[in-house]
Amino acid sequence: MSNDAIVLLKDDHKEVRKVFRDFESAGEDATERKGKLVEKMIELLTQHTYIENEVMYPRVRELLPDLEDDVLESYEEHHVADVLVMELAAMKPTDERFDAKTTVLIENVRHHMDEEEEDWFPKVREGLGRNALQEIGEELLAAKKKAPTKPSQPSALKTFG
């Protein structure tokens, strides 16, 4: 198994996309199932955001200063997702805006993942090379072990001062 940072992050993206598709195909009256899928979404996104914010983005900023604007945009996209995740975590699947809020989260996160995969990851791969990506991948795996899975946990959300 590769510990390449980009491969690891793309694997996370695949898992998130599957939960998104499951939610979208669950059907109108699948309230309980949708609730469970959103719980899974929150867990995956909280963990993934944490490892990107704590490891990937700071390392790329340090090693590839030309990508600073991309990293800052990604932090902001994560912030938008964090707000939606916090609101969803406090909602019940029966709430009137639960499905709508989940749909907005899915749209935002899909856009973010597409942008990373099509634009940002190729730049990072070219700029860093294999050894650095393996090293960062090891750091991502270590961070994932201690990553929060709920937005209410301390350290779950990145704050900027």
Side-chain angles (χ1 to χ4, degrees):
M1 189 178 120
S2 172
N3 288 339
D4 178 293
I6 291 173
V7 172
L8 294 171
L9 295 174
K10 280 185 172 181
D11 286 347
D12 277 4
H13 288 180
K14 275 186 204 134
E15 194 176 359
V16 168
R17 285 180 206 278
K18 183 185 181 320
V19 178
F20 286 174
R21 284 191 308 274
D22 290 348
F23 179 89
E24 290 168 333
S25 64
E28 284 293 309
D29 300 321
T31 308
E32 191 177 324
R33 175 154 165 68
K34 284 181 174 179
K36 297 228 177 299
L37 288 166
V38 168
E39 282 176 24
K40 184 68 177 167
M41 239 179 253
I42 289 170
E43 182 182 305
L44 292 172
L45 291 173
T46 302
Q47 195 176 53
H48 181 74
T49 299
Y50 175 85
I51 67 171
E52 280 192 332
N53 286 349
E54 295 300 314
V55 178
M56 189 68 178
Y57 296 163
R59 297 286 277 132
V60 170
R61 275 179 96 172
E62 170 196 333
L63 299 169
L64 299 173
D66 289 357
L67 297 184
E68 173 86 7
D69 289 346
D70 291 336
V71 171
L72 293 175
E73 183 181 332
S74 289
Y75 277 133
E76 291 307 317
E77 289 173 347
H78 279 189
H79 174 69
V80 170
D82 287 344
V83 170
L84 293 166
V85 160
M86 281 191 302
E87 291 175 357
L88 276 168
M91 292 174 85
K92 294 180 188 73
T94 52
D95 289 349
E96 181 183 46
R97 292 168 48 201
F98 185 83
D99 282 11
K101 193 173 295 287
T102 303
T103 299
V104 171
L105 174 67
I106 289 170
E107 288 168 357
N108 272 279
V109 172
R110 266 199 188 123
H111 166 80
H112 172 72
M113 292 187 301
D114 290 347
E115 213 169 55
E116 277 189 342
E117 291 176 10
E118 293 163 19
D119 182 47
W120 197 65
F121 286 166
K123 290 182 199 169
V124 171
R125 181 168 299 291
E126 186 182 324
L128 293 183
R130 200 178 140 176
N131 288 344
L133 286 170
Q134 291 283 344
E135 197 178 291
I136 295 169
E138 295 294 332
E139 292 175 43
L140 288 172
L141 288 171
K144 199 167 195 174
K145 287 187 177 117
K146 63 177 184 166
T149 55
K150 290 182 173 60
S152 57
Q153 288 175 269
S155 81
L157 306 176
K158 185 85 174 165
T159 53
F160 304 97

